[in-house]
Amino acid sequence: MTRAFSAFRTFLPLAVVASLSGCATSWVVDSDVKSFASPGAVAPGATYRFDRLPSQQADGARQESLEAMAGAALDQAGLRRDDTKPQYTAQIGARVTAGLSPWADPWLYSGPWGYGGYGYGGYGYYGRRFYGGGWYGGPVFAPPANPWYEREVSIVLREVGSNRVVYETRARNDGPYNSSAAILPVMFQAALQGFPNPPQGERRVNIELSTAKK
């Protein structure tokens, strides 16, 4: 069974329930996580500050939004932000790419150049209104004609002074829903599962996300 079909089977019943209830819905954000750590390098309660690449400094507002999402997950993992006396620096990244839905008619949407997916960069947090509820909208189940979204978030911790990498983790997710503002924070939580001594190899991390309609 493909990941795309599994996601479709999971989200369709939830979308139907949501349409009938009209008040609240929830779904599981499944992320494929892979982490690398230096054993015993990061102690509980360690302090950090965010570090930005030059490309991330070009759009401070977007990067601040991304860091707020990652910061909540870092705090939950037991780290504490301290911009004056940090023990580590945290470099945050995110990528969102839209491509053709697996259930779209390839003849209908191929055209002379096809339906090319487009990315939003690998080192910053980028959102864009696109179909249905858009970037800030609630959970939108995309019909087959709509795009398929691929997301990836990353966190790299470096020791201040030596600049030695002590922790690196990435989480990937894909599906027809386009509510990045709700999904990316959950992916950061998944990326830090098991911190500071995560399991070896790639693993699937499922976190339920609930959204209430007002």
Side-chain angles (χ1 to χ4, degrees):
M1 179 183 295
T2 65
R3 178 186 174 92
F5 180 77
S6 177
F8 179 79
R9 189 179 64 174
T10 300
F11 287 102
L12 183 56
L14 292 174
V16 172
V17 171
S19 65
L20 294 176
S21 63
C23 58
T25 184
S26 64
W27 78 94
V28 173
V29 177
D30 56 331
S31 301
D32 292 324
V33 178
K34 196 168 187 179
S35 307
F36 303 89
S38 298
V42 184
T47 57
Y48 73 93
R49 65 171 173 81
F50 288 114
D51 184 39
R52 299 181 182 181
L53 296 171
S55 58
Q56 296 172 325
Q57 297 172 10
D59 196 331
R62 286 177 175 172
Q63 190 63 21
E64 285 178 8
S65 178
L66 175 63
E67 290 169 358
M69 296 177 181
L74 287 165
D75 292 345
Q76 187 176 349
L79 295 175
R80 181 171 57 88
R81 182 174 177 178
D82 187 341
D83 293 341
T84 58
K85 294 182 178 180
Q87 297 170 266
Y88 304 95
T89 61
Q91 183 179 307
I92 309 301
R95 176 181 58 83
V96 180
T97 305
L100 184 63
S101 166
W103 297 279
D105 186 342
W107 295 101
L108 180 62
Y109 291 94
S110 60
W113 298 283
Y115 187 103
Y118 48 89
Y120 293 90
Y123 298 104
Y125 178 44
Y126 298 86
R128 180 172 181 174
R129 177 165 292 279
F130 198 75
Y131 289 96
W135 186 70
Y136 281 106
V140 177
F141 186 84
N146 281 5
W148 189 260
Y149 296 90
E150 295 182 356
R151 297 176 174 85
E152 180 177 304
V153 300
S154 64
I155 299 175
V156 178
L157 295 179
R158 291 183 173 87
E159 192 176 54
V160 172
S162 68
N163 207 36
R164 178 174 67 99
V165 175
V166 296
Y167 200 87
E168 178 185 0
T169 184
R170 296 178 181 274
R172 295 182 295 106
N173 167 273
D174 64 82
Y177 39 92
N178 62 359
S179 194
S180 292
I183 296 168
L184 291 180
V186 177
M187 292 179 63
F188 279 117
Q189 292 180 34
L192 287 169
Q193 189 194 62
F195 178 87
N197 300 304
Q200 294 185 354
E202 189 171 66
R203 61 196 185 278
R204 175 67 59 85
V205 178
N206 297 326
I207 299 178
E208 184 175 286
L209 176 63
S210 298
T211 303
K213 292 185 178 181
K214 299 181 179 179

